[in-house]
Amino acid sequence: MDQSLIRQFRDTVGNAYVLDSQQERFAYSYDATPLYQAMPDLVIQPGDVEEISAILKLATKHRIPIVSRGAGSNLSGGTVPVEGGIVLHLNRMNQLMEIDTDNLTSTFQPGLVTADLHKAVEAKGLFYPPDPGSMRVSTLGGNVAECAGGMRGLKYGTTKDYVMGVQAVLPDGSIVRFGGKNAKDVAGYDITRLLVGSEGTLAVISEITAKLLPFPESTQTLVAYFRSLVDAARTVSAIIAAKILPSSMEFLDSGTMKVVEDFSHIGLPLDMEAMLLIQQDGAALQVEQDIERIAKLCRTSGAVDVQLAATPEQGDELMTARRAALSALARVRPTTILEDATVPRSKLAEMVDQVTVIAKKYNVEICTFGHAGDGNLHPTCLTDERDKEEIRRVEQAFEEIFHAAIQLGGTVTGEHGVGLAKAKYLELKVGSEGMDLMRRVKQAFDPLGIMNPGKIFAKDARRRVVIGNHEHAH
Amino acid sequence: MDQSLIRQFRDTVGNAYVLDSQQERFAYSYDATPLYQAMPDLVIQPGDVEEISAILKLATKHRIPIVSRGAGSNLSGGTVPVEGGIVLHLNRMNQLMEIDTDNLTSTFQPGLVTADLHKAVEAKGLFYPPDPGSMRVSTLGGNVAECAGGMRGLKYGTTKDYVMGVQAVLPDGSIVRFGGKNAKDVAGYDITRLLVGSEGTLAVISEITAKLLPFPESTQTLVAYFRSLVDAARTVSAIIAAKILPSSMEFLDSGTMKVVEDFSHIGLPLDMEAMLLIQQDGAALQVEQDIERIAKLCRTSGAVDVQLAATPEQGDELMTARRAALSALARVRPTTILEDATVPRSKLAEMVDQVTVIAKKYNVEICTFGHAGDGNLHPTCLTDERDKEEIRRVEQAFEEIFHAAIQLGGTVTGEHGVGLAKAKYLELKVGSEGMDLMRRVKQAFDPLGIMNPGKIFAKDARRRVVIGNHEHAH
């Protein structure tokens, strides 16, 4: 990048917040998604919305790609700067500006870490339900850009169900606001919701107002083990059919259970085909009643063993084991590719079966876990990126998994986003006319195509990019 | 319209479903919004999505405006064909196609009446929460196009929180699908949500998949009367501060109470300044507990009298009285203009006060009722459209009310939509850059501007259109 231009950026945000050494740029050349890497030309850490605006004006003038990011914990290559340009790192804009207990809202900057918001609102007896797996490091700006989900999706929805208002900067530098603290607001198109999940391809989100709920009085956890996958899936359906919506219904297959047990030593039985980890929250009396009914339904649907967590701590331990699934799997082989195929909840057993068949067909190792309650599965492939031949088989297997999900009425991504990793599969879901429409929407925001270029929309020529053998931090 | 073109439409949908007589067209020249009327050139009642597609292809070819509508119960002039063209009446496409009890979804055509969906899903123990005031006649296509709200917004959200997938026809006739039955789905931009509340200006929605919930086990109703408005508003805040989210918290001011009592004779006290009608639903034990706490909070916050409905029937009677507010008010004078100014819940008392001051200033009669729990107020003006001078004062008063709402962090429309009635106020909320962006989004869908032209975006030249003295059916 031209030195006089870099000087203009330095003048805008201050010298310390423009990073251009090889080493610094390398740190922003990848995210939590394996197999993708590309160097940015410059990294900028703006301090406020005016600085973002000034940066975008210059970027527009000089047609420089802008990739905004927080912790880079996404799993779709969403923040890899495949066309170079500027990585806009929003870590300095991490203020929790307000918790409004009258209106049950919170307003914060995009760089705030998800778990920090959880802690702050919970201290006031309030609740921000979205809990993506990476919540200890992920930022809320990233959560909004990707429409992050988590374990509580079934009962509480995902990030899109909580974002009430945004301030955002358009590529030309104009600062816009949509939505706000109003529980009802139909003033024009719902641009707020359109920005949620837009993966940095439309605008830079500079402030967020989110809805909060009262924190549930009580939470209970139950674990059920199954000799057959079909029984586990039947149990999920039976609970829904009984008109109970648990806060979480998590699923682990036998492969994942083995690896998690190896990692956490919490005593998971290794002769089972599947386990469900079910959590209910709400008023104490109600939770008690629900958990009892759930336990009964597990037993009548074929669970071999049902255990109620005796204490909240024991419940937490079980959930922590589930949260450790990805870390545990990541230790087994050099490269871990976590996917996100999602189906309507009723198709869960069929989908897990198909994953097993496809893994066998391509001779690759896939463990499956995920959010059974909302059909959001994470088939996870343990592989080695240095083995080009195996990686080719892995890609073929995932391509077939995506097709299977679509065949079952599902989608190619439930909560990780399209990014680079799923760009070539998006058309499977929305069709060529849907793709054209999305391209026109992109154009309406970003006529020059400088916002996170290469994401969501596949260029046929581009396949999975690099890769050095750097270490990924999962 | 050219006769040979009309013949092509007749060939497409069948003779009986193309209406072109003066009388028939007149019936589609207005909706439930007073003061707006304009004649369409033609009315077409398509029978399926292919017919809609064929009609839109012809409309695109000949640049004919398309105004899709259901019952026309909207209150923003959204379905008045101000630029003529075709009214696409979707009444024949009223099939409830599926209630999927495994995935808790329902799929239906846009012409289905809201209350019919309620009945059908409730028969299976399920629940579709959005309950707009017009739900006995309104259609779900209209609800989606306007993002209809209702009394249950505080706890359950509005239509946008339930639409999971749509099939829609773009102006060029292409048929697209977005979303579906997946509880989590982040495959590309959230076009589904963008279409919700787009007021027929982007596409014709031809099929909807909505999320359902388990029907709550129990419901209880409570009414509280207040000598001061501020006490009523303080009560709303106190309930939220106690971390209770009732399913409804409805507010009536003294003017509305008088008129409702006159109409329904249910024994409302006429010496009170305000009443709150509060409903809670959920598990029986929990509802019992919540209602007791709510009653206590009402008393400690200044309620003069608190009454618990002894039976569900008595509760229904109270809610019916509230639902009758608009009908009751509509009997008082020839013209009733219901507005929709909305503020963050904590600003409720201030907003009601301002309405009173503004009504006095312009010497117009305004009663206020609405959804206190979500700050969604309906200041309702009793007037006479034949009195041009009074109507001018009414318009000035509403203009000032909208400005006041914006000053308080509110919005110009909470649940009725922008349509014609609020078009010139939208910029107050989203700014000129927000307006420009929305125009570009409109262009991305509808480059020729044939979809419901004149709506959402004000043409400065156009004012309220007025009109003969036909009878409005409220």
Side-chain angles (χ1 to χ4, degrees):
Chain A
M1 192 177 287
D2 180 63
Q3 282 304 320
S4 78
L5 189 55
I6 295 181
R7 211 168 312 119
Q8 289 181 64
F9 287 121
R10 289 193 190 280
D11 290 345
T12 304
V13 298
N15 226 355
Y17 304 118
V18 176
L19 317 177
D20 66 347
S21 75
Q22 172 85 5
Q23 199 184 345
E24 287 165 323
R25 290 186 293 122
F26 182 78
Y28 292 89
S29 69
Y30 57 89
D31 57 27
T33 325
L35 309 198
Y36 297 100
Q37 191 191 22
M39 287 289 268
D41 297 309
L42 204 65
V43 177
I44 306 181
Q45 298 169 318
D48 61 32
V49 66
E50 276 73 31
E51 290 182 5
I52 297 175
S53 170
I55 294 163
L56 289 191
K57 276 180 194 153
L58 276 172
T60 283
K61 189 172 162 198
H62 297 281
R63 309 285 195 270
I64 305 166
I66 291 284
V67 181
S68 51
R69 67 167 261 178
S73 54
N74 83 84
L75 293 162
S76 57
T79 58
V80 175
V82 273
E83 301 195 2
I86 294 167
V87 167
L88 208 62
H89 188 204
L90 298 165
N91 58 322
R92 292 173 63 209
M93 293 176 65
N94 64 352
Q95 292 307 300
L96 172 50
M97 297 152 70
E98 186 191 48
I99 299 174
D100 178 341
T101 53
D102 281 338
N103 292 305
L104 299 187
T105 61
S106 179
T107 299
F108 42 80
Q109 291 185 315
L112 182 64
V113 169
T114 314
D116 289 346
L117 177 66
H118 286 161
K119 259 178 268 165
V121 305
E122 288 169 19
K124 290 183 185 294
L126 297 171
F127 187 35
Y128 176 74
D131 60 343
S134 55
M135 65 190 186
R136 279 173 219 284
V137 295
S138 71
T139 64
L140 287 149
N143 291 177
V144 172
E146 302 291 315
C147 188
M151 298 195 187
R152 302 177 184 136
L154 164 63
K155 182 171 179 178
Y156 289 107
T158 62
T159 302
K160 72 179 182 305
D161 300 303
Y162 294 87
V163 179
M164 297 178 70
V166 291
Q167 181 197 62
V169 188
L170 301 181
D172 68 2
S174 53
I175 300 169
V176 290
R177 270 189 188 278
F178 296 100
K181 290 186 182 181
N182 296 289
K184 287 179 180 166
D185 188 353
V186 291
Y189 301 135
D190 196 345
I191 304 290
T192 308
R193 298 275 182 145
L194 182 60
L195 288 177
V196 179
S198 64
E199 305 189 14
T201 64
L202 302 180
V204 177
I205 294 165
S206 47
E207 190 189 296
I208 299 149
T209 295
K211 175 171 126 174
L212 304 175
L213 297 176
F215 194 78
E217 188 189 342
S218 160
T219 300
Q220 286 200 31
T221 310
L222 170 154
V223 58
Y225 301 103
F226 299 87
R227 284 244 164 70
S228 111
L229 217 74
V230 173
D231 285 348
R234 274 204 308 146
T235 302
V236 171
S237 293
I239 293 167
I240 303 292
K243 313 275 187 316
I244 306 172
L245 284 189
S247 55
S248 305
M249 283 208 270
E250 296 295 306
F251 165 85
L252 281 77
D253 74 356
S254 58
T256 312
M257 286 169 70
K258 283 191 190 77
V259 173
V260 167
E261 177 55 24
D262 214 41
F263 181 73
S264 320
H265 306 292
I266 52 167
L268 299 181
L270 297 183
D271 53 341
M272 296 292 162
E273 202 50 44
M275 66 181 270
L276 289 176
L277 200 52
I278 302 174
Q279 213 163 40
Q280 179 61 309
D281 62 12
L285 284 167
Q286 188 56 39
V287 170
E288 195 90 28
Q289 212 176 77
D290 283 354
I291 282 284
E292 258 170 51
R293 290 176 63 207
I294 291 169
K296 210 164 160 184
L297 287 162
C298 286
R299 287 194 196 95
T300 55
S301 303
V304 178
D305 189 16
V306 180
Q307 294 170 17
L308 210 72
T311 61
E313 292 69 36
Q314 208 188 333
D316 285 348
E317 193 186 58
L318 283 164
M319 294 312 279
T320 304
R322 157 63 187 87
R323 285 197 182 276
L326 176 56
S327 312
L329 290 165
R331 292 171 28 161
V332 179
R333 291 197 64 200
T335 306
T336 311
I337 303 178
L338 179 72
E339 272 307 342
D340 189 34
T342 298
V343 290
R345 174 194 305 129
S346 62
K347 303 292 184 187
L348 192 70
E350 272 176 83
M351 188 66 216
V352 178
D353 265 348
Q354 294 241 26
V355 169
T356 310
V357 170
I358 292 167
K360 219 167 265 170
K361 174 173 167 189
Y362 291 99
N363 188 27
V364 293
E365 191 178 355
I366 298 183
C367 295
T368 299
F369 63 97
H371 316 297
D374 43 42
N376 180 202
L377 290 174
H378 295 312
T380 299
C381 187
L382 312 183
T383 179
D384 185 341
E385 63 194 73
R386 293 162 300 190
D387 183 341
K388 303 287 178 238
E389 188 275 330
E390 181 172 321
I391 290 290
R392 209 165 9 253
R393 280 184 283 119
V394 169
E395 294 201 334
Q396 285 170 331
F398 275 123
E399 182 152 345
E400 211 162 309
I401 287 171
F402 294 133
H403 276 95
I406 295 289
Q407 282 293 319
L408 292 170
T411 184
V412 296
T413 172
E415 58 180 14
H416 292 170
V418 176
L420 291 171
K422 256 88 57 148
K424 68 178 188 135
Y425 305 111
L426 179 58
E427 189 169 335
L428 288 180
K429 173 69 178 134
V430 302
S432 67
E433 281 154 340
M435 291 299 298
D436 288 346
L437 181 63
M438 287 189 187
R439 273 195 199 93
R440 294 197 301 272
V441 169
K442 159 86 173 169
Q443 189 98 17
F445 281 78
D446 178 25
L448 301 175
I450 64 168
M451 303 302 286
N452 209 1
K455 309 304 163 62
I456 297 186
F457 306 103
K459 293 186 180 167
D460 279 327
R462 184 180 308 113
R463 294 277 304 195
R464 298 210 158 189
V465 196
V466 170
I467 323 133
N469 52 0
H470 66 277
E471 290 294 315
H472 292 292
H474 290 295
Chain B
M1 193 177 287
D2 180 66
Q3 282 304 319
S4 78
L5 189 54
I6 296 180
R7 211 168 311 119
Q8 288 181 64
F9 287 120
R10 289 193 191 280
D11 290 346
T12 304
V13 298
N15 226 354
Y17 302 117
V18 175
L19 316 178
D20 67 347
S21 76
Q22 174 84 5
Q23 199 184 346
E24 288 165 321
R25 289 185 295 122
F26 182 78
Y28 292 89
S29 69
Y30 57 89
D31 57 28
T33 325
L35 308 196
Y36 297 99
Q37 191 190 21
M39 288 289 270
D41 298 311
L42 204 66
V43 178
I44 306 181
Q45 298 168 318
D48 60 32
V49 66
E50 276 74 29
E51 290 182 6
I52 297 176
S53 170
I55 293 162
L56 289 192
K57 276 179 194 153
L58 276 172
T60 283
K61 188 171 164 197
H62 298 280
R63 310 284 194 269
I64 305 166
I66 290 285
V67 180
S68 51
R69 67 166 261 177
S73 54
N74 82 85
L75 292 163
S76 57
T79 58
V80 175
V82 274
E83 301 195 2
I86 294 167
V87 167
L88 209 62
H89 188 204
L90 297 167
N91 59 321
R92 293 173 63 210
M93 292 177 63
N94 64 352
Q95 292 307 299
L96 173 50
M97 297 153 71
E98 185 192 49
I99 298 174
D100 178 340
T101 53
D102 282 338
N103 292 305
L104 299 187
T105 62
S106 178
T107 298
F108 42 81
Q109 292 184 313
L112 182 64
V113 169
T114 314
D116 291 346
L117 177 65
H118 285 160
K119 258 177 269 167
V121 305
E122 287 169 21
K124 291 184 186 290
L126 296 171
F127 188 32
Y128 176 74
D131 60 343
S134 55
M135 65 191 188
R136 279 173 218 286
V137 295
S138 71
T139 63
L140 287 151
N143 290 178
V144 172
E146 302 291 315
C147 187
M151 298 195 187
R152 300 175 185 140
L154 165 62
K155 182 171 179 178
Y156 290 108
T158 63
T159 302
K160 71 178 183 306
D161 300 302
Y162 294 88
V163 178
M164 296 177 69
V166 291
Q167 181 196 61
V169 188
L170 301 181
D172 67 2
S174 53
I175 299 168
V176 289
R177 270 188 189 279
F178 295 100
K181 290 186 182 181
N182 298 289
K184 286 179 180 165
D185 188 354
V186 291
Y189 301 136
D190 197 344
I191 304 290
T192 308
R193 299 274 183 144
L194 183 60
L195 289 175
V196 178
S198 64
E199 305 190 17
T201 64
L202 301 180
V204 177
I205 294 165
S206 48
E207 191 190 295
I208 299 149
T209 295
K211 174 171 127 174
L212 304 175
L213 297 175
F215 194 78
E217 189 190 340
S218 161
T219 299
Q220 285 200 31
T221 311
L222 169 153
V223 59
Y225 301 103
F226 299 86
R227 284 245 164 72
S228 111
L229 216 75
V230 173
D231 287 347
R234 274 204 308 146
T235 303
V236 170
S237 293
I239 292 167
I240 302 292
K243 314 277 188 314
I244 307 172
L245 284 189
S247 55
S248 305
M249 282 207 272
E250 295 295 307
F251 165 84
L252 282 75
D253 73 356
S254 57
T256 312
M257 286 170 70
K258 284 192 188 75
V259 173
V260 166
E261 177 56 23
D262 213 43
F263 181 74
S264 319
H265 306 292
I266 52 166
L268 300 182
L270 298 182
D271 55 340
M272 295 291 162
E273 204 49 45
M275 67 181 271
L276 290 176
L277 201 52
I278 301 173
Q279 213 162 41
Q280 179 60 308
D281 63 10
L285 284 169
Q286 187 56 38
V287 170
E288 195 90 29
Q289 212 174 79
D290 282 354
I291 281 284
E292 257 170 54
R293 290 177 63 206
I294 292 169
K296 210 165 159 182
L297 287 162
C298 286
R299 286 193 198 96
T300 55
S301 304
V304 178
D305 189 16
V306 179
Q307 293 171 18
L308 210 74
T311 61
E313 291 69 35
Q314 208 188 332
D316 285 349
E317 194 187 55
L318 283 165
M319 294 311 278
T320 305
R322 159 61 186 89
R323 287 197 181 277
L326 177 56
S327 314
L329 290 166
R331 292 172 28 166
V332 179
R333 293 196 62 199
T335 306
T336 312
I337 303 178
L338 179 72
E339 271 306 343
D340 190 33
T342 298
V343 289
R345 174 194 307 132
S346 61
K347 304 292 184 186
L348 192 71
E350 272 176 84
M351 188 67 215
V352 177
D353 265 348
Q354 295 242 25
V355 170
T356 311
V357 170
I358 292 166
K360 219 167 265 171
K361 174 175 169 188
Y362 290 100
N363 188 27
V364 293
E365 192 179 355
I366 299 183
C367 294
T368 299
F369 62 97
H371 315 297
D374 42 44
N376 181 202
L377 290 173
H378 296 312
T380 300
C381 187
L382 312 182
T383 180
D384 184 341
E385 65 193 72
R386 292 162 303 190
D387 183 342
K388 303 287 178 240
E389 188 275 329
E390 181 172 321
I391 290 290
R392 207 159 17 245
R393 281 184 283 118
V394 169
E395 294 202 332
Q396 285 170 331
F398 275 123
E399 182 153 344
E400 213 163 308
I401 287 171
F402 294 135
H403 276 94
I406 294 290
Q407 282 293 321
L408 292 169
T411 184
V412 296
T413 173
E415 59 180 14
H416 293 170
V418 176
L420 291 172
K422 255 90 51 150
K424 68 177 188 133
Y425 305 111
L426 179 58
E427 191 169 332
L428 289 181
K429 173 72 177 131
V430 303
S432 68
E433 281 155 340
M435 291 299 299
D436 287 347
L437 181 63
M438 287 189 186
R439 275 196 197 92
R440 294 197 301 271
V441 169
K442 159 86 174 170
Q443 189 98 16
F445 281 78
D446 178 25
L448 301 174
I450 64 168
M451 303 302 286
N452 209 1
K455 309 303 164 61
I456 297 186
F457 305 103
K459 293 188 181 165
D460 280 326
R462 185 179 307 113
R463 295 277 305 194
R464 299 209 158 189
V465 182
V466 188
I467 330 181
N469 51 2
H470 67 276
E471 290 294 316
H472 293 291
H474 291 293

